[in-house]
Amino acid sequence: MPIVVLFIIFVIGLLIAIPVSITLGITSVLPSIFDPSFTVGAKYLIRAMFGGLDSFPLLAVPMFVLSGIIMAKGGISKKIFNIFAYFLGNLTAGMPCAVIVTCLFYGAISGSGPATVAAVGSMTIPVLISLGYDKVFSTAIVAVAGGLGVIIPPSIPFIMYGMASGSSVSDLFLAGIVPGLLIGALLIGFSIFYCKQHGEDKERIHQEVSQLHAKGFWNVLKESFLALLSPVIILGCIYSGVASPTEAAVISVFYALIVSLFVYKSITIRDIWGILVESIKTFTPILFILATSTAFSRVLTLMQVPQTVSEFILSNFSNPVLILLVINVFLLLVGMVMDTTPAILILTPILLPIIEGIGMNPIQFGVIMVVNLAIGFVTPPIGVNLFVASSLTDVPVMQIAKKAMPMIGLFLLALLLITFVPSISLLFL
């Protein structure tokens, strides 16, 4: 079966809204149906699907999903926001900047962009609106800053890339720190510019911040300390050698439970069942996508798709700069129409030989891929962060996307720097 026909069928399946996992499964079995001599049969594909899920690093994903939901229900994001609002609130764009920094910290807990938007946005967007900030701007800033959740470690997409490429997950986590901080700094700069252009209600903001100041610094810090400590514990366990990323994910679940149940008392024992159900509902679609994308990638390998694409690009583009630009544009387009997990699992085996052919470090490429797909979180038509943010405020998705365009432009600027300045990603390696 021709490779082009297979991809056309795959794209048609996505366009007519067939679930990604089913589309991947269908396209995986088609070559053996149309060509009986094709070496991959149904039994092989089933073994490949189960084999793809039999991975110790992969266990980190449901654990980070679970810990993120526990912390969202436990109000951890509010505790984090309060400490940053205490220090930044009275500055120009202080409250939007506090939201961005909160997204950075919460991303270091949840490892998920949409989870960061849901947890931080549900609490901070009403606060921003009550302080006189434009509703669409408030929604857009959370939707875009939520994308930092997949760049700042620990990151679920980095775990997926590590599984697909064989790269060290710990090294990928380290590589995401500076790019995440860089993008956060650019978003903070834009917020300051925006607020200087459009003005702020300083009186209302001062009243809000003065309530935090009335509590006193030590009281605010005491309330927020354990929330701020959570990413330190998670990443500290990984880089001190105490635990692997998977074991650190399990530690994060117990930490979230203990803090939420016994310290903040923001959830009860009765809430745990609902949290577990929500976690299973969140992870199950990812599980099916993982299984079928593993089978699909095996089929692509046997059809020599990675070699074909690699030879085509390397034979038509000799300049490494041009090759990287072509790959970035391709990943941006994919990010607009495909979810992060299947995109990483399908495209990594195809693009990695090209990247290695031009001498780029696979760790740096992992960061480039995740940043590209993070931009996809806030670009129509499949921008998940846009839909999550829209559900919080009832602002139409296209209005949020339009307001987010300057911030997406800064994301693209950061992407170019990450692509062509390797030290940004490899500073700590």
Side-chain angles (χ1 to χ4, degrees), residues 81-244:
F81 176 72
N82 283 346
I83 191 70
F84 295 124
Y86 182 94
F87 287 107
L88 302 174
N90 285 324
L91 303 175
T92 301
M95 297 304 271
C97 289
V99 171
I100 293 167
V101 180
T102 303
C103 286
L104 274 167
F105 263 78
Y106 195 83
I109 297 170
S110 71
S112 165
T116 302
V117 174
V120 177
S122 59
M123 182 273 302
T124 59
I125 293 174
V127 171
L128 291 179
I129 294 170
S130 70
L131 295 176
Y133 291 100
D134 177 66
K135 186 177 183 180
V136 183
F137 167 75
S138 303
T139 309
I141 198 80
V142 173
V144 177
L148 297 170
V150 299
I151 302 168
I152 291 289
S155 161
I156 291 172
F158 279 147
I159 297 170
M160 298 299 180
Y161 177 82
M163 191 181 79
S165 66
S167 301
S168 164
V169 174
S170 297
D171 285 350
L172 286 163
F173 282 179
L174 276 175
I177 295 173
V178 176
L181 294 175
L182 170 64
I183 296 167
L186 290 172
L187 293 178
I188 286 171
F190 171 77
S191 297
I192 295 170
F193 172 78
Y194 179 91
C195 290
K196 282 184 176 180
Q197 291 287 312
H198 295 83
E200 297 175 277
D201 191 333
K202 288 291 186 182
E203 188 175 338
R204 270 199 273 184
I205 294 168
H206 181 71
Q207 287 176 357
E208 179 75 19
V209 177
S210 63
Q211 291 178 16
L212 288 173
H213 285 184
K215 285 185 176 182
F217 168 71
W218 290 112
N219 286 329
V220 175
L221 179 62
K222 186 170 67 175
E223 288 181 359
S224 309
F225 180 72
L226 291 175
L228 292 171
L229 196 61
S230 50
V232 177
I233 290 173
I234 295 167
L235 298 176
C237 286
I238 296 171
Y239 297 120
S240 64
V242 172
S244 68

Side-chain angles (χ1 to χ4, degrees), residues 203-331:
E203 188 175 338
R204 270 199 273 184
I205 294 168
H206 181 71
Q207 287 176 357
E208 179 75 19
V209 177
S210 63
Q211 291 178 16
L212 288 173
H213 285 184
K215 285 185 176 182
F217 168 71
W218 290 112
N219 286 329
V220 175
L221 179 62
K222 186 170 67 175
E223 288 181 359
S224 309
F225 180 72
L226 291 175
L228 292 171
L229 196 61
S230 50
V232 177
I233 290 173
I234 295 167
L235 298 176
C237 286
I238 296 171
Y239 297 120
S240 64
V242 172
S244 68
T246 301
E247 292 161 343
V250 177
I251 291 169
S252 75
V253 171
F254 282 96
Y255 181 83
L257 268 176
I258 291 167
V259 170
S260 299
L261 276 172
F262 303 115
V263 181
Y264 294 144
K265 297 180 180 178
S266 46
I267 63 173
T268 64
I269 297 292
R270 290 181 179 179
D271 296 325
I272 293 176
W273 177 255
I275 289 170
L276 290 172
V277 170
E278 186 176 342
S279 301
I280 291 168
K281 287 181 177 177
T282 302
F283 179 64
T284 302
I286 298 175
L287 193 70
F288 279 103
I289 290 170
L290 278 167
T292 52
S293 61
T294 301
F296 187 58
S297 65
R298 298 279 175 88
V299 170
L300 293 182
T301 301
L302 288 170
M303 296 177 74
Q304 296 190 323
V305 172
Q307 294 90 330
T308 303
V309 174
S310 178
E311 287 171 9
F312 173 79
I313 291 178
L314 293 174
S315 61
N316 286 278
F317 304 98
S318 57
N319 189 324
V321 172
L322 196 55
I323 290 172
L324 289 171
L325 289 174
V326 168
I327 289 174
N328 273 318
V329 171
F330 175 64
L331 287 172

Side-chain angles (χ1 to χ4, degrees), residues 20-99:
V20 175
S21 56
I22 295 174
T23 304
L24 287 167
I26 291 170
T27 48
S28 297
V29 299
L30 284 178
S32 60
I33 292 174
F34 285 93
D35 183 5
S37 64
F38 191 65
T39 53
V40 173
K43 289 182 181 179
Y44 177 90
L45 290 174
I46 292 170
R47 284 199 301 269
M49 289 168 70
F50 280 100
L53 299 178
D54 185 17
S55 167
F56 181 71
L58 189 58
L59 288 174
V61 177
M63 292 298 102
F64 279 128
V65 169
L66 177 57
S67 68
I69 291 174
I70 293 170
M71 291 185 183
K73 300 292 184 185
I76 301 289
S77 58
K78 181 168 177 56
K79 306 293 183 184
I80 296 172
F81 176 72
N82 283 346
I83 191 70
F84 295 124
Y86 182 94
F87 287 107
L88 302 174
N90 285 324
L91 303 175
T92 301
M95 297 304 271
C97 289
V99 171

